[in-house]
Amino acid sequence: MPTKILAVAAHPGDAFFTMGATVAQHIHNGGAGAFLSLSLGERGHRTIAPKEYGEMQRAAAEKAAKHLGAEALFLTYPDAEIPANDEANFAVCDVIRRQKPDVIVTHWSGSWHKDHQNTFLIVRDAIFYAGLDAMPRKLPAHNVGKLFFADNWEDATNYQPDTVLDITPVYDKWVEACAMFPMWRGETGLIRYNDYYQSLAVMRGCLSRFRYAVALMSDPSQRTTRTKSLE
Ligand SMILES: [Zn+2]
């Protein structure tokens, strides 16, 4: 069985711009991957109405996921109103039990965006519920082996990456997938995501002596090395 990675993001843009290359590289290395967006990010355009923009976002996410050989999944909480509650925790828990990921990548908590903060909390609780045998759901318990937090300019407070992943083999494909979103090209009037995240991949690559790379922050609980000898 190939190992599976699940990216859980508040908005499709976060999923693909900040987690997409990681998922693509995992697939390139022989694994499987899926993207779960908790909202469609439908309120992210100044002139296109949320209903229409949400459908554009969904279509772009499906196309981008397919381009990377991954699956696109959605929970349609309203953009800007993703709730940090048990209903959401169990919804993500059920996705985890169905998808059975070995690795999850999601938002770091140090974000100014409440949807991102809440996604961090939801994923933390969902992983706990998913692995709890004594928590009866439709599907049996599943333990997620590793949790990583993505390098996102909106989640930068106290973000301390400790892992660098070479994404050189999938860089072009990842850029093509991101370019399926109008937001990537700066059309939503926000920052130039394309320049920022492509430059970030170059910068992380320079520091790690790869051509292109992404930095990830591991969950503090998985940083302990168990050893019987220091040699
Ligand atoms: Zn976002």
Side-chain angles (χ1 to χ4, degrees), residues 18-188:
T18 76
M19 307 169 193
T22 302
V23 172
Q25 187 60 45
H26 192 81
I27 293 167
H28 178 84
N29 292 346
F35 294 92
L36 171 64
S37 300
L38 301 191
S39 89
L40 293 173
E42 71 275 12
R43 288 178 170 139
H45 202 288
R46 283 182 190 169
T47 54
I48 302 175
K51 196 165 186 294
E52 190 188 339
Y53 189 56
E55 284 317 307
M56 288 167 66
Q57 291 269 90
R58 179 195 289 272
E62 281 172 349
K63 206 172 147 198
K66 200 174 169 199
H67 191 65
L68 300 177
E71 198 181 345
L73 310 165
F74 305 93
L75 287 173
T76 48
Y77 294 108
D79 186 12
E81 295 176 63
I82 295 174
N85 60 26
D86 258 345
E87 192 276 324
N89 297 339
F90 280 117
V92 175
C93 158
D94 289 347
V95 172
I96 292 171
R97 287 190 177 194
R98 200 175 318 120
Q99 292 286 323
K100 300 206 264 297
D102 304 277
V103 183
I104 285 185
V105 56
T106 192
H107 291 278
W108 169 237
S109 62
S111 182
W112 54 258
H113 199 308
K114 68 188 273 279
D115 278 351
H116 293 198
Q117 288 176 11
N118 285 353
T119 301
F120 168 89
L121 295 172
I122 291 166
V123 170
R124 182 196 65 188
D125 292 347
I127 288 173
F128 173 63
Y129 288 159
L132 205 56
D133 281 318
M135 186 65 78
R137 304 292 294 168
K138 268 194 200 140
L139 294 167
H142 172 77
N143 277 300
V144 177
K146 283 187 176 173
L147 174 62
F148 290 100
F149 306 111
D151 194 357
N152 186 320
W153 73 272
E154 291 162 289
D155 309 341
T157 304
N158 297 324
Y159 184 77
Q160 293 179 329
D162 51 57
T163 303
V164 183
L165 179 70
D166 180 10
I167 58 154
T168 308
V170 297
Y171 175 82
D172 290 336
K173 215 175 192 188
W174 164 66
V175 171
E176 287 159 12
C178 292
M180 291 167 185
F181 291 85
M183 190 182 171
W184 178 250
R185 302 182 291 270
E187 287 172 24
T188 51

